[in-house]
């Protein structure tokens, strides 16, 4: 069971006076119990007596998506606004240029803050117990001395305080690897009690957003009426901005909140193409 609602706006400029452009924006919400439709998807219900308990933001949900592109045929060269009567040799150098750009902005994917503990059944995708106020916008990419974190001001506890309730007989308590998370106001995220589910909703916060600017520059050389050649340079991620991956969201991991991966850096390719 899933629903999708959105507001979509699009603006188009058809190719006029050497310029074509397109811009669109989507504000949406995708809710459901599970992504996909195959039978194996049923295994993720944490409580079969209440399947709606797992209704949440779907993994492909994006609150905001903005896409835009522009193509500009520079008005310089023979038959154009500037330099219409320039010599052929000059036209071959400064005429026939075209610039294109694609600029996209996306909000982050929904994050599931988990305890990794099977306290209710044999599934380990349980959420944490929240003991204070967890703001929805707590995440922000921050560079620290030894890397990049997404939850600045939050730290992993040496041990979950609830571990003290475990018997010390047979060294059982000392074997526990349960930790938890402390926020600016004190202890905030703990492991659920045995026989309970975490009280934190699934996918409660959003991960890092991203933006990307791609551009190209094309020079067209007319050889004959039938043949022309194109020299082009394409640059992906022109600004060379890091496309940060999602952070670790396991409250029992020493890497909680740490981002350890990012997308591709700037890539520039140059090519020659013959059209006929």
């Amino acid at each position: 069971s899933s629903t999708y609602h959105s507001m979509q706006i699009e603006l188009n400029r058809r190719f006029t006076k050497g310029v074509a452009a397109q811009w669109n924006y989507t504000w949406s919400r995708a809710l459901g119990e599970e992504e996909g439709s195959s039978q194996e998807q049923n295994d993720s219900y944490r409580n079969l007596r209440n399947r709606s308990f797992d209704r949440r933001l779907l993994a492909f949900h994006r609150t905001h998506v903005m896409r835009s592109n522009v193509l500009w045929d520079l008005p310089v060269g023979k038959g154009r606004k500037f330099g219409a009567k320039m010599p052929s040799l000059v036209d071959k150098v400064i005429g026939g240029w075209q610039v294109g750009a694609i600029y996209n902005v996306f909000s982050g994917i929904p994050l599931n803050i988990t305890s990794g503990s099977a306290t209710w059944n044999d599934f380990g995708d349980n959420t944490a117990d929240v003991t204070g106020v967890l703001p929805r916008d707590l995440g922000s990419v921050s560079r620290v001395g030894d890397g990049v974190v997404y939850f600045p001001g939050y730290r992993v506890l040496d041990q979950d305080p609830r571990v003290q309730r475990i018997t010390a007989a047979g060294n059982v308590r000392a074997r526990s690897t349960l930790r938890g998370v402390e926020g600016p106001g004190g202890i905030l995220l703990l492991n659920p009690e045995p026989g309970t589910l975490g009280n934190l909703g699934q996918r409660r916060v959003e991960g890092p957003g991203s933006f990307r600017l791609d551009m190209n520059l094309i020079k067209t050389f007319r050889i004959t009426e039938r043949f022309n050649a194109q020299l082009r340079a394409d640059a992906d991620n022109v600004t060379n901005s890091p496309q940060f991956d999602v952070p670790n969201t396991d409250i029992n991991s020493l890497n909680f909140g740490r981002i350890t991966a990012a997308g591709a850096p700037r890539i520039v390719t140059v090519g020659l193409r013959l059209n006929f």
Side-chain angles (χ1 to χ4, degrees):
S1 173
S2 63
T3 58
Y4 174 81
H5 299 281
S6 68
M7 177 187 72
Q8 301 177 20
I9 303 172
E10 183 171 82
L11 299 175
N12 277 298
R13 173 191 167 95
R14 295 184 179 180
F15 194 76
T16 307
K17 296 181 179 180
V19 178
Q22 182 184 35
W23 176 90
N24 61 64
Y25 167 73
T26 301
W27 176 43
S28 66
R29 196 167 185 83
L31 293 169
E33 300 165 9
E34 185 57 81
E35 299 80 7
S37 58
S38 59
Q39 183 177 357
E40 65 89 19
Q41 300 292 342
N42 292 329
D43 64 8
S44 65
Y45 285 107
R46 293 179 295 165
N47 185 353
L48 291 177
R49 293 191 178 95
N50 184 5
R51 288 181 293 177
S52 64
F53 188 79
D54 279 333
R55 190 169 179 82
R56 60 193 184 270
L57 291 174
L58 296 174
F60 56 82
H61 164 82
R62 301 291 185 277
T63 303
H64 305 285
V65 173
M66 191 278 286
R67 299 175 183 268
S68 60
N69 63 79
V70 63
L71 180 65
W72 184 22
D73 202 0
L74 299 182
V76 180
K78 279 194 172 183
R80 305 191 182 188
K81 185 176 181 179
F82 302 103
K85 297 181 180 180
M86 66 175 57
S88 297
L89 183 61
V90 177
D91 179 61
K92 289 183 182 300
V93 177
I94 66 174
W97 289 93
Q98 186 182 83
V99 178
I102 299 174
Y103 180 63
N104 296 331
V105 180
F106 305 92
S107 58
I109 69 173
L111 299 180
N112 205 24
I113 298 180
T114 65
S115 72
S117 302
T119 54
W120 174 259
N121 51 33
D122 62 343
F123 295 119
D125 57 354
N126 203 356
T127 59
D129 260 354
V130 181
T131 59
V133 178
L134 185 71
R136 285 183 177 272
D137 59 349
L138 82 161
S140 64
V141 175
S142 300
R143 293 172 171 84
V144 294
D146 59 348
V148 179
V149 298
Y150 191 60
F151 305 120
Y154 293 77
R155 73 173 190 88
V156 180
L157 298 171
D158 293 332
Q159 190 178 68
D160 189 322
R162 293 173 176 174
V163 170
Q164 296 303 314
R165 304 177 190 177
I166 301 176
T167 178
N171 206 30
V172 173
R173 182 187 301 167
R175 294 177 181 272
S176 175
T177 58
L178 301 181
R179 294 182 181 276
V181 173
E182 182 179 31
I187 295 176
L188 184 63
L189 299 169
L190 296 176
N191 291 274
E193 298 278 6
T196 67
L197 287 169
N199 61 20
L200 176 62
Q202 291 183 307
R203 295 177 183 156
R204 179 69 166 68
V205 299
E206 290 187 351
S210 63
F211 75 93
R212 177 163 161 165
L213 175 63
D214 300 334
M215 298 186 70
N216 63 24
L217 180 64
I218 301 174
K219 163 66 177 174
T220 301
F221 301 90
R222 183 171 296 278
I223 302 173
T224 66
E225 288 297 324
R226 183 180 175 186
F227 293 89
N228 67 68
Q230 281 187 344
L231 176 65
R232 61 183 297 154
D234 296 272
D236 297 336
N237 190 9
V238 173
T239 60
N240 202 30
S241 303
Q243 309 297 311
F244 289 109
D245 204 348
V246 297
N248 184 307
T249 55
D250 182 356
I251 67 170
N252 294 309
S253 171
L254 290 174
N255 286 322
F256 175 81
R258 188 170 292 276
I259 297 175
T260 58
R266 177 172 51 227
I267 299 175
V268 179
T269 57
V270 178
L272 182 63
R273 174 177 174 176
L274 179 65
N275 298 318
F276 57 91

